[in-house]
């Protein structure tokens, strides 16, 4: 069997990566549309980028109209501004939301119709060069061929894909994440952990994605607590941006599974941030997946040093899940109820959420394949 492995064309990582990005940015175009959000303007991250662009004679237009749930309307606004301002490449600076919005803007500059027309298909036309500059250590969108855009008409988070959406350049600089608030640090960090664990235990896992998944898990277990406790800890922040990148590379090539499949409907209907809805689901979903198929979970537990070879598969898998549960508790992950989700509204939407989860395709990648009933059961367990 042959395995395809895709990564961004160039990755510039480490402290001062942004400061050293000028020559690589110059290769990509003369005027960039910067896709971002208002928080990135107020934290000064956008100004750091524009200073580098100006210093390298690259023009720019700033589009700061993205919020934490990029929608089809925002994508349309971005496309309009790109044309009006005569841009010839795109740079996203921010969390996964601006990066995903940039990918969708790029895709729809070169494709006809609506974004929804491309759900379940491969986007093939190459967009203008895409540069991703993450400011959260989470989504790994800087290393993936995916974008997630909310279709506000149908209350669905659309998962769109295409190898052409992989950035031409990803700039992974820990300094941009130090302003990230503790709540964002924990949710995004658990998102990265979810990517790594799901990639390793996916039916589509391959030897190369395993390497990145294991390394990401090790870094996250060692550094997410310190980064959460002290946002200024640059060593922990650097480890976390590398982990998020590695986890992104892993799931880009192995896919995510049941947790992400079930998480997107919660985000679409109840506006729980992506990493947080993953965190709420993580332990119950992993318990479901590991039951009857514990070998890969046990291997991962051993590879990251949580279990030794003498432990049976079941016990080793349970140790991994317990460790993940302890991490979620230390990061103060709330329950759906504590977060303020309405129990009756959740119950009324169980059928739609389970259908939307299955339609996304992600649950089918789980080692132990869930039925619609299984998915509804797990959703209900979140209230017990
Ligand atoms: N494309 C992919 O492969 C992929 C994978 C996973 C998730 N996603 C998507 O990514 C989105 C979530 O991205 P996210 O979790 O990074 O959150 P986000 O981009 O929505 O950001 C969350 C909040 O944190 C703020 N923030 C970000 N960086 C900051 C910093 N350095 N300092 C201060 N504030 C900061 C943002 O302004 C925002 O208010 C979701 O839409 C999700 O579906 C995409
Ligand atoms: Fe994710």
């Amino acid at each position: 069997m042959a395995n395809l492995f895709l990564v961004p064309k160039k990755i510039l990582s480490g402290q001062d990566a942004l400061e050293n990005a000028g020559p690589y940015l110059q290769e990509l175009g003369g005027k960039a549309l910067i896709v971002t959000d208002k928080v990135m303007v107020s934290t000064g991250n956008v100004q750091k980028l524009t200073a580098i662009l100006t210093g390298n004679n690259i023009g720019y237009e700033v589009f700061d109209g993205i919020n934490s749930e990029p929608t089809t309307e925002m994508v349309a606004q971005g496309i309009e501004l790109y044309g009006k301002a005569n841009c010839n490449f795109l740079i996203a600076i921010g969390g996964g939301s601006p990066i995903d919005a940039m990918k969708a803007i790029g895709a729809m500059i070169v494709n006809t119709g609506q974004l929804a027309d491309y759900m379940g298909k491969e986007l093939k036309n190459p967009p203008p060069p895409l540069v991703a500059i993450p400011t959260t250590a989470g989504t790994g969108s800087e290393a993936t061929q995916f974008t997630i855009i909310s279709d506000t008409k149908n209350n669905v988070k659309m998962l769109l894909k295409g190898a052409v959406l992989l950035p031409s350049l990803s700039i992974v600089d820990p300094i941009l994440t130090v302003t990230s608030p503790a709540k964002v640090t924990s949710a995004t960090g658990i998102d990265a952990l979810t990517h790594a664990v799901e990639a390793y235990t996916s039916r589509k896992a391959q030897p190369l994605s395993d390497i990145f998944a294991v390394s990401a898990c090790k870094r996250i277990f060692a550094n997410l607590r310190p980064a959460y406790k002290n946002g200024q800890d640059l060593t922990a922040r650097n480890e976390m941006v590398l982990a998020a990148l590695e986890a992104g590379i892993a799931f880009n090539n192995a896919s995510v599974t049941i947790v992400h499949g079930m998480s997107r409907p919660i985000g679409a209907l109840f506006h729980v941030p992506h990493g947080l809805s993953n965190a709420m689901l993580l332990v119950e979903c992993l318990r479901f997946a590991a039951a009857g198929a514990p070998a890969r979970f046990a291997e991962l537990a051993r590879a990251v040093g949580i279990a030794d070879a003498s432990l049976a598969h079941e016990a080793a898998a349970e140790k991994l899940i317990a460790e993940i549960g302890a991490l979620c508790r230390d990061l103060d992950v709330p329950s759906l109820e504590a977060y303020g989700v309405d129990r009756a509204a959740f119950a009324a939407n169980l059928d739609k959420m389970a259908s939307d989860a299955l339609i996304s395709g992600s649950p089918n990648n789980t080692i132990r394949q869930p039925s619609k009933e299984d998915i509804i059961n797990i959703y209900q367990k979140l209230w017990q």
Side-chain angles (χ1 to χ4, degrees):
M1 185 182 151
N3 293 309
L4 184 65
F5 195 77
L6 298 169
V7 287
K9 274 202 194 103
K10 285 183 185 162
I11 299 171
L12 191 61
S13 68
Q15 285 177 38
D16 301 328
L18 180 56
E19 258 188 69
N20 289 286
Y24 305 102
L25 289 163
Q26 269 177 342
E27 289 169 4
L28 298 176
K31 186 166 184 188
L33 181 70
I34 299 176
V35 181
T36 190
D37 63 27
K38 295 200 167 51
V39 176
M40 288 302 105
V41 177
S42 64
T43 54
N45 278 345
V46 170
Q47 287 82 340
K48 279 184 194 154
L49 168 63
T50 55
I52 299 295
L53 294 176
T54 305
N56 287 276
N57 298 316
I58 302 168
Y60 61 85
E61 183 75 27
V62 177
F63 173 44
D64 65 3
I66 308 303
N67 66 22
S68 45
E69 264 166 28
T71 62
T72 39
E73 288 82 9
M74 293 172 200
V75 172
Q77 284 168 19
I79 293 170
E80 200 187 325
L81 190 55
Y82 182 91
K84 266 193 194 154
N86 280 319
C87 298
N88 59 5
F89 75 117
L90 288 143
I91 304 177
I93 182 160
S97 298
I99 299 176
D100 278 6
M102 168 189 73
K103 289 176 177 174
I105 292 168
M108 294 319 286
I109 288 170
V110 293
N111 280 294
T112 53
Q114 307 296 318
L115 263 178
D117 303 340
Y118 296 91
M119 249 174 99
K121 294 182 193 154
E122 169 95 13
L123 283 157
K124 290 234 161 89
N125 296 343
L130 306 175
V131 180
I133 312 178
T135 65
T136 59
T139 70
S141 185
E142 67 276 14
T144 75
Q145 55 188 319
F146 307 111
T147 175
I148 297 159
I149 303 294
S150 292
D151 174 353
T152 36
K153 278 190 207 112
N154 300 310
N155 272 340
V156 174
K157 275 193 153 192
M158 299 182 291
L159 171 65
L160 301 149
K161 73 174 274 198
V164 293
L165 297 184
L166 274 160
S168 299
L169 172 65
S170 289
I171 303 170
V172 179
D173 188 332
I175 200 77
L176 301 173
T177 67
V178 293
T179 48
S180 170
K183 273 188 182 158
V184 173
T185 303
S186 66
T188 52
I190 295 279
D191 187 26
L193 179 65
T194 310
H195 295 153
V197 174
E198 291 200 279
Y200 195 88
T201 58
S202 162
R203 283 172 186 263
K204 294 183 182 161
Q206 51 163 302
L208 287 179
S209 62
D210 286 353
I211 292 168
F212 287 90
V214 168
S215 178
C217 282
K218 282 185 183 164
R219 287 189 210 274
I220 294 167
F221 282 132
N223 294 284
L224 182 50
R225 284 182 182 91
Y228 175 64
K229 281 196 192 115
N230 173 15
Q232 300 298 318
D233 181 341
L234 209 51
T235 307
R237 290 291 198 184
N238 191 43
E239 290 293 303
M240 282 306 301
V241 288
L242 289 176
L245 171 70
E246 289 173 327
I249 292 173
F251 91 86
N252 187 48
N253 293 288
S255 294
V256 283
T257 65
I258 185 170
V259 186
H260 271 75
M262 290 182 63
S263 177
R264 288 186 286 265
I266 298 181
L269 288 168
F270 300 101
H271 310 289
V272 179
H274 172 74
L276 208 51
S277 50
N278 283 342
M280 291 166 174
L281 283 159
L282 197 48
V283 166
E284 286 304 335
C285 283
L286 296 184
R287 271 214 174 106
F288 168 85
R296 287 288 285 172
F297 293 88
E299 260 179 43
L300 182 57
R302 292 176 195 123
V304 300
I306 289 173
D308 61 40
S310 65
L311 268 190
H313 286 346
E314 287 79 5
E318 186 45 44
K319 251 192 139 173
L320 177 74
I321 297 169
E323 177 66 31
I324 291 171
L327 181 59
C328 289
R329 273 193 303 281
D330 289 350
L331 298 175
D332 307 309
V333 172
S335 63
L336 281 168
E337 192 167 21
Y339 188 76
V341 173
D342 183 78
R343 190 176 187 144
F346 194 90
N349 279 290
L350 278 176
D351 197 76
K352 175 183 165 51
M353 290 196 294
S355 299
D356 288 349
L358 283 168
I359 290 167
S360 77
S362 305
N364 284 337
N365 301 324
T366 315
I367 290 188
R368 179 182 169 204
Q369 225 148 339
S371 65
K372 189 171 173 184
E373 214 179 2
D374 293 327
I375 289 184
I376 289 177
N377 273 338
I378 297 172
Y379 277 138
Q380 284 171 329
K381 278 193 176 163
L382 303 186
W383 294 93
Q384 284 161 15

